[in-house]
Amino acid sequence: MEGDKSSGAGAGGLVLLNCFVSPFGNRVRIALKRKGLAYEEKHENLAPKSPLLLSSNPVHAKVPVLLVGGSPVCESLVILEFVDEAFAGNGEPLLPAAPCARAHARFWASYVDSKLPECAVRVWRSPKGAAAVEEGRKDLVAVLKTLEAELGAKPYFAGDALGYVDVALVPFAPWFLTYERLGGFSVAGECPALAAWAERCVRENECVAKSLPEAEDVFQFVCGMRKMLGLD
Amino acid sequence: MEGDKSSGAGAGGLVLLNCFVSPFGNRVRIALKRKGLAYEEKHENLAPKSPLLLSSNPVHAKVPVLLVGGSPVCESLVILEFVDEAFAGNGEPLLPAAPCARAHARFWASYVDSKLPECAVRVWRSPKGAAAVEEGRKDLVAVLKTLEAELGAKPYFAGDALGYVDVALVPFAPWFLTYERLGGFSVAGECPALAAWAERCVRENECVAKSLPEAEDVFQFVCGMRKMLGLD
């Protein structure tokens, strides 16, 4: 959070440091578009990381970073809350108003962060045929089923419209194809309501449709990374 | 979050499910005392876990849980924000008012959660003499030094008075003695300003002093757990 405040990030402007496949960075894209905020996006390749990324997020050296008049805000869920609070006048809030409902939404976003990426990475970044892939798949399916149970019969996690948990989770949907191909399972087969929810998020929300990469592009990105890491 | 709402937790009352050594549970103790809120505390032994804990936090089955008129709020940082929002009229808020400052505080509390427990557990829950202890110690000292750098010359992370990051971090202080004895290092030697901050938190804040266990009791608790796990 102590980045270079004299960077050319634009006084007063919003600059998002992101990588096009990052579920975390794409949360911020969705939130900014939903609020109707103009911003500039700088694409990070992750290797090598840009001097701006390293100076803006020296603690984690990770995307996303939102530069606000040059000052960095880091960590995707922290950025979502920041956007919701700093631009409270722009459209519907991401978080509900009631403290209990806010806690409920934060609980589930925190669940996504603490469980989903850790299982998923074992599926897509383990050597081909490793036992870790099968264990990762089992754990990932259990996490997705838990999320599906929380979704229940509602159209969105928040109820009738896109909210905080939806924005936190839906950027993982373009990764489902990669999980399926490398883990040997079907998200729609295991969790039909969750698969339908992901399609609904894209179909009914322009801010989502315009923020997410194609699933095939994510898979090709992962294939390139696996080749580089010697995993196949 | 879907716990048994018909439990005898008391309509309208606050009930904290906690274990006396839990840094996460003791965050909530501090927040409730700071807000001057009356609450009942139910002590969990962790093995076996109580039916009330299992029904109140079916997803994680972990303390702390704050029952609010019987409805559970789970995850310690989520509970801190809930307490701050639901009882906004009770004394000074834990989080500052400005969105940028709130993001800064949330970033550092999230840093504590994502880094500190994972390193610490390798120090205190690895077999005696294992390489993991030494690796855990190195990583833990690096985390504490990063936190010390963020503290800087300020009396508290929040500035002149106890705030969100202080409440998130200080319940780990009674564990320092355990980390030191099992990891073979001195927190005050490595991070003198952080050690002084921990003492200041206790000395100047009754809500902290009344919420934390004795360091020696934490160590004895850990020794008992290590014996049970066959680690010594």
Side-chain angles (χ1 to χ4, degrees):
Chain A
M1 309 285 274
E2 289 80 23
D4 175 11
K5 297 191 181 184
S6 64
S7 74
L14 297 172
V15 178
L16 173 61
L17 311 188
N18 191 18
C19 171
F20 84 102
V21 295
S22 169
F24 306 102
N26 291 336
R27 289 171 169 173
V28 182
R29 271 192 184 167
I30 297 172
L32 294 172
K33 288 187 202 297
R34 178 138 185 265
K35 290 275 183 188
L37 296 164
Y39 67 98
E40 179 191 350
E41 186 160 331
K42 289 186 190 282
H43 296 278
E44 288 287 330
N45 287 319
L46 305 188
K49 296 180 180 184
S50 75
L52 182 59
L53 176 61
L54 296 174
S55 67
S56 302
N57 190 358
V59 171
H60 298 297
K62 283 183 183 170
V63 296
V65 176
L66 184 66
L67 295 163
V68 184
S71 291
V73 181
C74 302
E75 293 286 274
S76 63
L77 294 182
V78 173
I79 299 172
L80 291 192
E81 296 236 21
F82 170 80
V83 168
D84 218 26
E85 292 175 348
F87 305 100
N90 291 48
E92 287 297 303
L94 284 174
L95 279 161
C100 271
R102 294 168 72 84
H104 192 86
R106 287 179 179 130
F107 173 88
W108 283 105
S110 163
Y111 176 82
V112 171
D113 270 14
S114 68
K115 299 288 183 182
L116 200 158
E118 183 276 318
C119 302
V121 83
R122 285 184 275 144
V123 172
W124 69 262
R125 214 169 61 187
S126 294
K128 198 172 181 175
V133 178
E134 173 62 9
E135 289 159 15
R137 181 193 63 77
K138 275 187 196 158
D139 292 343
L140 178 59
V141 169
V143 168
L144 295 176
K145 283 182 184 291
T146 299
L147 288 165
E148 182 167 80
E150 165 59 15
L151 177 65
K154 305 188 297 294
Y156 293 96
F157 282 87
D160 291 330
L162 193 83
Y164 186 66
V165 181
D166 303 288
V167 174
L169 180 59
V170 77
F172 288 94
W175 283 75
F176 287 176
L177 180 71
T178 296
Y179 304 157
E180 291 175 331
R181 287 185 181 164
L182 294 171
F185 75 107
S186 155
V187 172
E190 299 283 353
C191 303
L194 196 70
W197 160 86
E199 288 181 13
R200 184 180 307 118
C201 286
V202 173
R203 192 175 61 244
E204 297 184 353
N205 300 277
E206 197 181 17
C207 61
V208 178
K210 289 195 167 173
S211 297
L212 300 186
E214 293 296 326
E216 192 64 52
D217 291 343
V218 173
F219 182 68
Q220 292 307 324
F221 175 91
V222 169
C223 286
M225 184 180 274
R226 289 179 60 84
K227 197 170 176 183
M228 200 178 71
L229 296 171
L231 297 172
D232 282 317
Chain B
M1 308 282 277
E2 288 80 24
D4 175 12
K5 298 190 181 185
S6 65
S7 75
L14 297 172
V15 179
L16 173 62
L17 311 188
N18 192 18
C19 171
F20 85 102
V21 294
S22 169
F24 305 102
N26 291 337
R27 289 172 170 173
V28 182
R29 270 191 183 168
I30 296 172
L32 294 172
K33 288 187 202 296
R34 178 138 186 264
K35 290 274 184 189
L37 296 163
Y39 67 97
E40 179 191 348
E41 186 161 332
K42 289 187 189 283
H43 295 278
E44 288 288 330
N45 286 319
L46 306 187
K49 295 179 180 184
S50 76
L52 182 59
L53 176 60
L54 296 174
S55 68
S56 302
N57 190 359
V59 172
H60 299 297
K62 282 181 182 170
V63 296
V65 176
L66 184 66
L67 295 162
V68 184
S71 292
V73 181
C74 303
E75 294 286 274
S76 63
L77 294 182
V78 173
I79 299 173
L80 291 193
E81 295 236 22
F82 170 80
V83 169
D84 218 26
E85 292 175 349
F87 305 101
N90 291 50
E92 287 298 303
L94 283 174
L95 278 161
C100 270
R102 293 167 73 84
H104 192 86
R106 288 180 177 130
F107 173 88
W108 283 105
S110 163
Y111 176 83
V112 170
D113 270 14
S114 67
K115 300 289 182 182
L116 200 158
E118 183 276 317
C119 302
V121 83
R122 286 184 274 144
V123 171
W124 68 262
R125 215 169 59 188
S126 294
K128 197 172 182 175
V133 179
E134 173 63 8
E135 288 159 16
R137 182 194 61 78
K138 275 187 198 162
D139 292 343
L140 177 59
V141 169
V143 167
L144 296 176
K145 282 182 183 291
T146 299
L147 289 165
E148 182 168 80
E150 165 59 15
L151 177 64
K154 304 189 299 290
Y156 293 95
F157 282 88
D160 291 331
L162 194 82
Y164 186 66
V165 180
D166 303 288
V167 174
L169 181 59
V170 77
F172 289 93
W175 282 73
F176 287 176
L177 180 71
T178 297
Y179 305 157
E180 291 175 332
R181 286 184 181 166
L182 295 171
F185 75 107
S186 155
V187 172
E190 299 283 352
C191 302
L194 196 70
W197 159 86
E199 288 180 12
R200 185 179 309 120
C201 286
V202 173
R203 194 176 58 243
E204 297 184 353
N205 299 276
E206 197 181 19
C207 60
V208 178
K210 289 196 167 172
S211 297
L212 301 186
E214 293 295 325
E216 191 66 50
D217 291 342
V218 173
F219 182 68
Q220 293 306 323
F221 175 91
V222 169
C223 288
M225 184 180 277
R226 289 179 60 84
K227 196 170 177 182
M228 201 178 70
L229 297 170
L231 296 173
D232 282 317

PDB file of all heavy atoms in Angstrom, chain B residues 119-132:
ATOM      1  N   CYS B 119       2.561 -19.398   9.026  1.00  0.00           N
ATOM      2  CA  CYS B 119       3.966 -19.528   9.451  1.00  0.00           C
ATOM      3  C   CYS B 119       4.032 -20.024  10.891  1.00  0.00           C
ATOM      4  O   CYS B 119       4.841 -20.899  11.227  1.00  0.00           O
ATOM      5  CB  CYS B 119       4.688 -18.186   9.407  1.00  0.00           C
ATOM      6  SG  CYS B 119       4.713 -17.389   7.823  1.00  0.00           S
ATOM      7  N   ALA B 120       3.189 -19.442  11.731  1.00  0.00           N
ATOM      8  CA  ALA B 120       3.247 -19.746  13.165  1.00  0.00           C
ATOM      9  C   ALA B 120       2.954 -21.216  13.432  1.00  0.00           C
ATOM     10  O   ALA B 120       3.598 -21.844  14.280  1.00  0.00           O
ATOM     11  CB  ALA B 120       2.265 -18.853  13.928  1.00  0.00           C
ATOM     12  N   VAL B 121       1.995 -21.774  12.697  1.00  0.00           N
ATOM     13  CA  VAL B 121       1.601 -23.159  12.958  1.00  0.00           C
ATOM     14  C   VAL B 121       2.747 -24.116  12.639  1.00  0.00           C
ATOM     15  O   VAL B 121       2.900 -25.163  13.285  1.00  0.00           O
ATOM     16  CB  VAL B 121       0.300 -23.508  12.185  1.00  0.00           C
ATOM     17  CG1 VAL B 121       0.578 -23.905  10.746  1.00  0.00           C
ATOM     18  CG2 VAL B 121      -0.479 -24.608  12.896  1.00  0.00           C
ATOM     19  N   ARG B 122       3.592 -23.738  11.664  1.00  0.00           N
ATOM     20  CA  ARG B 122       4.755 -24.588  11.371  1.00  0.00           C
ATOM     21  C   ARG B 122       5.755 -24.570  12.520  1.00  0.00           C
ATOM     22  O   ARG B 122       6.456 -25.544  12.753  1.00  0.00           O
ATOM     23  CB  ARG B 122       5.418 -24.134  10.064  1.00  0.00           C
ATOM     24  CG  ARG B 122       4.605 -24.539   8.835  1.00  0.00           C
ATOM     25  CD  ARG B 122       5.337 -24.167   7.562  1.00  0.00           C
ATOM     26  NE  ARG B 122       5.082 -22.799   7.151  1.00  0.00           N
ATOM     27  CZ  ARG B 122       5.975 -21.989   6.576  1.00  0.00           C
ATOM     28  NH1 ARG B 122       7.203 -22.400   6.364  1.00  0.00           N
ATOM     29  NH2 ARG B 122       5.631 -20.763   6.209  1.00  0.00           N
ATOM     30  N   VAL B 123       5.792 -23.446  13.240  1.00  0.00           N
ATOM     31  CA  VAL B 123       6.702 -23.347  14.388  1.00  0.00           C
ATOM     32  C   VAL B 123       6.174 -24.169  15.570  1.00  0.00           C
ATOM     33  O   VAL B 123       6.925 -24.918  16.197  1.00  0.00           O
ATOM     34  CB  VAL B 123       6.896 -21.866  14.815  1.00  0.00           C
ATOM     35  CG1 VAL B 123       7.663 -21.772  16.132  1.00  0.00           C
ATOM     36  CG2 VAL B 123       7.597 -21.083  13.711  1.00  0.00           C
ATOM     37  N   TRP B 124       4.867 -24.043  15.846  1.00  0.00           N
ATOM     38  CA  TRP B 124       4.378 -24.655  17.106  1.00  0.00           C
ATOM     39  C   TRP B 124       3.739 -26.020  16.937  1.00  0.00           C
ATOM     40  O   TRP B 124       3.529 -26.721  17.925  1.00  0.00           O
ATOM     41  CB  TRP B 124       3.461 -23.706  17.877  1.00  0.00           C
ATOM     42  CG  TRP B 124       2.120 -23.378  17.300  1.00  0.00           C
ATOM     43  CD1 TRP B 124       1.781 -22.271  16.571  1.00  0.00           C
ATOM     44  CD2 TRP B 124       0.903 -24.150  17.415  1.00  0.00           C
ATOM     45  NE1 TRP B 124       0.452 -22.305  16.219  1.00  0.00           N
ATOM     46  CE2 TRP B 124      -0.111 -23.442  16.730  1.00  0.00           C
ATOM     47  CE3 TRP B 124       0.574 -25.356  18.033  1.00  0.00           C
ATOM     48  CZ2 TRP B 124      -1.431 -23.902  16.642  1.00  0.00           C
ATOM     49  CZ3 TRP B 124      -0.742 -25.822  17.943  1.00  0.00           C
ATOM     50  CH2 TRP B 124      -1.723 -25.093  17.248  1.00  0.00           C
ATOM     51  N   ARG B 125       3.466 -26.432  15.684  1.00  0.00           N
ATOM     52  CA  ARG B 125       2.802 -27.728  15.530  1.00  0.00           C
ATOM     53  C   ARG B 125       3.583 -28.699  14.647  1.00  0.00           C
ATOM     54  O   ARG B 125       3.005 -29.634  14.087  1.00  0.00           O
ATOM     55  CB  ARG B 125       1.375 -27.542  15.013  1.00  0.00           C
ATOM     56  CG  ARG B 125       0.418 -28.570  15.601  1.00  0.00           C
ATOM     57  CD  ARG B 125      -1.041 -28.270  15.323  1.00  0.00           C
ATOM     58  NE  ARG B 125      -1.366 -28.191  13.909  1.00  0.00           N
ATOM     59  CZ  ARG B 125      -2.561 -27.793  13.423  1.00  0.00           C
ATOM     60  NH1 ARG B 125      -3.506 -27.402  14.248  1.00  0.00           N
ATOM     61  NH2 ARG B 125      -2.787 -27.750  12.144  1.00  0.00           N
ATOM     62  N   SER B 126       4.899 -28.467  14.516  1.00  0.00           N
ATOM     63  CA  SER B 126       5.746 -29.415  13.783  1.00  0.00           C
ATOM     64  C   SER B 126       6.460 -30.312  14.784  1.00  0.00           C
ATOM     65  O   SER B 126       6.669 -29.924  15.933  1.00  0.00           O
ATOM     66  CB  SER B 126       6.794 -28.660  12.957  1.00  0.00           C
ATOM     67  OG  SER B 126       6.188 -27.901  11.939  1.00  0.00           O
ATOM     68  N   PRO B 127       6.853 -31.508  14.338  1.00  0.00           N
ATOM     69  CA  PRO B 127       7.612 -32.382  15.239  1.00  0.00           C
ATOM     70  C   PRO B 127       8.917 -31.705  15.662  1.00  0.00           C
ATOM     71  O   PRO B 127       9.524 -30.973  14.878  1.00  0.00           O
ATOM     72  CB  PRO B 127       7.907 -33.611  14.366  1.00  0.00           C
ATOM     73  CG  PRO B 127       6.896 -33.570  13.265  1.00  0.00           C
ATOM     74  CD  PRO B 127       6.604 -32.125  13.019  1.00  0.00           C
ATOM     75  N   LYS B 128       9.319 -31.941  16.898  1.00  0.00           N
ATOM     76  CA  LYS B 128      10.550 -31.365  17.451  1.00  0.00           C
ATOM     77  C   LYS B 128      11.736 -31.659  16.527  1.00  0.00           C
ATOM     78  O   LYS B 128      11.922 -32.807  16.094  1.00  0.00           O
ATOM     79  CB  LYS B 128      10.800 -31.974  18.833  1.00  0.00           C
ATOM     80  CG  LYS B 128      11.792 -31.191  19.663  1.00  0.00           C
ATOM     81  CD  LYS B 128      11.848 -31.735  21.087  1.00  0.00           C
ATOM     82  CE  LYS B 128      12.802 -30.906  21.935  1.00  0.00           C
ATOM     83  NZ  LYS B 128      12.788 -31.327  23.331  1.00  0.00           N
ATOM     84  N   GLY B 129      12.487 -30.622  16.182  1.00  0.00           N
ATOM     85  CA  GLY B 129      13.680 -30.826  15.367  1.00  0.00           C
ATOM     86  C   GLY B 129      13.413 -30.898  13.869  1.00  0.00           C
ATOM     87  O   GLY B 129      14.355 -30.988  13.076  1.00  0.00           O
ATOM     88  N   ALA B 130      12.148 -30.850  13.446  1.00  0.00           N
ATOM     89  CA  ALA B 130      11.836 -30.921  12.016  1.00  0.00           C
ATOM     90  C   ALA B 130      12.328 -29.666  11.305  1.00  0.00           C
ATOM     91  O   ALA B 130      12.382 -28.583  11.897  1.00  0.00           O
ATOM     92  CB  ALA B 130      10.328 -31.077  11.822  1.00  0.00           C
ATOM     93  N   ALA B 131      12.695 -29.823  10.031  1.00  0.00           N
ATOM     94  CA  ALA B 131      13.150 -28.672   9.230  1.00  0.00           C
ATOM     95  C   ALA B 131      12.048 -27.619   9.131  1.00  0.00           C
ATOM     96  O   ALA B 131      12.331 -26.428   9.005  1.00  0.00           O
ATOM     97  CB  ALA B 131      13.559 -29.140   7.837  1.00  0.00           C
ATOM     98  N   ALA B 132      10.789 -28.057   9.204  1.00  0.00           N
ATOM     99  CA  ALA B 132       9.662 -27.134   9.089  1.00  0.00           C
ATOM    100  C   ALA B 132       9.674 -26.073  10.190  1.00  0.00           C
ATOM    101  O   ALA B 132       9.179 -24.957   9.992  1.00  0.00           O
ATOM    102  CB  ALA B 132       8.348 -27.913   9.130  1.00  0.00           C
TER     103      ALA B 132
END
